[in-house]
Amino acid sequence: MAEKSLVRTLMGRRRSTADHWTFLFGEIAVYTFAVLLVTGAFLTVFFDPSMERVVYDGSYTPLKGVPMTEAYRSTLDIGFEVRGGLLVRQAHHWAALVFIAAITLQLLRMFFTGAYRRPRGLNWLIWITLLLLGMAAGVTGSILPDDMLSGGSLGLIQGVTQSIPLIGTDLTWLLFGGDFPGDAIIPRFYWAHVLLLPGAMIGLFLLRRRLIRKNGHTHFAGPGAGGAGATAVPAGTSVALFLATAGVLTFLGAFVQINAIWQFGPYKPGDITAGAVPGWYMGFLDGAIRIMPGWEFDVAGHPLTLAVLVPALVVPGAFFTVLAAYPALERRLTGDNAVHHFLDRPRDAATRTGVGAAGITFYGLLWAAAANDQIAYNFHLSLFAVTWFFRIAVFAAPVLAFVVTQRICLFLTAREREEALHGRETGRIVMSATGGFTEIHEPVRPDDRRELAAARGGGVSPSSEG
């Protein structure tokens, strides 16, 4: 263990570790959330979540005279009547997508570097909860305009809710306030979207800030690394990063069209919008539903629709449960209950990195399966064959990804250990006086050699954790 820690130190000597680029993911998530709050407050002033039926008479000619709800009309007015409304609305939508992406990358960074270990287990749970709340906020926000895409999402929510055994029908009735789609669901989602979910996320960000002040930041071992009291990003850098984040989101809102609800039209039960897809973060659910066999059984006179229940509730529920419990599972399996303030490189924890690669592969295949029809169409394949490929791949590919990734990590660490002990290969061959051939190795520096000798003799490595 001491030699492995020393190798990690030697390989990181020529770079500063206190400002590693992967630490920006959490900062971007915070700044994107600030943009969401500001743009959301602007939109709240002009949006009306009422389900009252009106006739459109605005400036968008193709929809003139079309019956719609006040929610849909007010969203159209934001885009076409309110000065700067479309820019703010599109920046808000892009910020929601980037927010979830930044949280996802932050969780990946924490997982592959071991940043979830003691004393930061609660910080890991905070980020997972923020991811779930962000996904819920994204879904509720996309439903508010009451357009055709919104109605399709509501139909999926209804189907998933009704698939829950025993209580599904009653739960659907309570959620929608009556028959689908009813007049209550959008006002309910509105208050959840603008008050409950943002309030919960603000509380979690404040708790995270308090934990950082208590435990400090984690760092890679090497020059500039700190311990439990390591400092955060400098104030000037934080301001610059916030302005850059806001600028990029504004640029996207101005030049990259997204969620053009005027093209979808108002929601009409029984109709469907061709080519509509959910937000990228919900694609894995769509893919899971598409490749799940159409299993439905009758149990004591009640239908049990596994074709919806398993992919929409069981699979994501199990996935996020294992993700949240992973720090505790790892401690139990490895017996490592020590306090860690320094991070691992992914290659230094081969098994953990393999597990992460397997999880990414599983998620990525479900995400790709959401486009099984497009894959079949564009590559002139059978939709039946493509669907069966994903059904098999979601079980086989994660195992293959784990084995390959673990072997790569073990090879890389073995090669580095060899270089640290015997020097680096130079590619130059010399012949000895006896006629033998040997390769010249570049020796390590004298101070590194002393540290290596100390480590092999049982000394404490400079990057020892705890």
Side-chain angles (χ1 to χ4, degrees), residues 6 19-20 26 32 76 123 129 132 150 170 174 192 236-237 245 253 274-275 288 315 377 388 409 415 429 440 445:
L6 174 62
D19 57 351
H20 198 273
T32 305
L76 289 176
N123 192 39
T129 307
L132 293 174
S150 166
D170 294 333
L174 291 175
T237 304
T245 302
V315 171
Y377 175 78
W388 267 102
C409 291
R415 187 182 67 177
I429 306 297
I440 298 176
R445 297 184 306 174

Side-chain angles (χ1 to χ4, degrees), residues 2 12 76 183 197 237 286 295 302 360 362 366 375 387 398 434:
L76 289 176
D183 296 331
L197 295 173
T237 304
D286 190 4
W295 294 341
H302 298 278
I360 292 175
F362 178 74
L366 291 182
I375 294 174
T387 301
T434 59

Side-chain angles (χ1 to χ4, degrees), residues 63 72 145-149 260-268 273:
L63 289 178
Y72 185 68
D146 195 34
D147 59 309
M148 282 299 300
L149 187 58
I261 63 165
W262 54 89
Q263 296 178 355
F264 304 147
Y267 176 57
K268 297 179 182 179
T273 301

Side-chain angles (χ1 to χ4, degrees), residues 48 72 79 101 116 202 204 239 243 263 282 317 342 354 372 378 412 454:
D48 185 354
Y72 185 68
Y116 54 80
I202 290 174
L204 290 174
V239 172
L243 294 177
Q263 296 178 355
M282 300 300 295
F342 289 96
N372 64 340
N378 287 285
L412 291 174

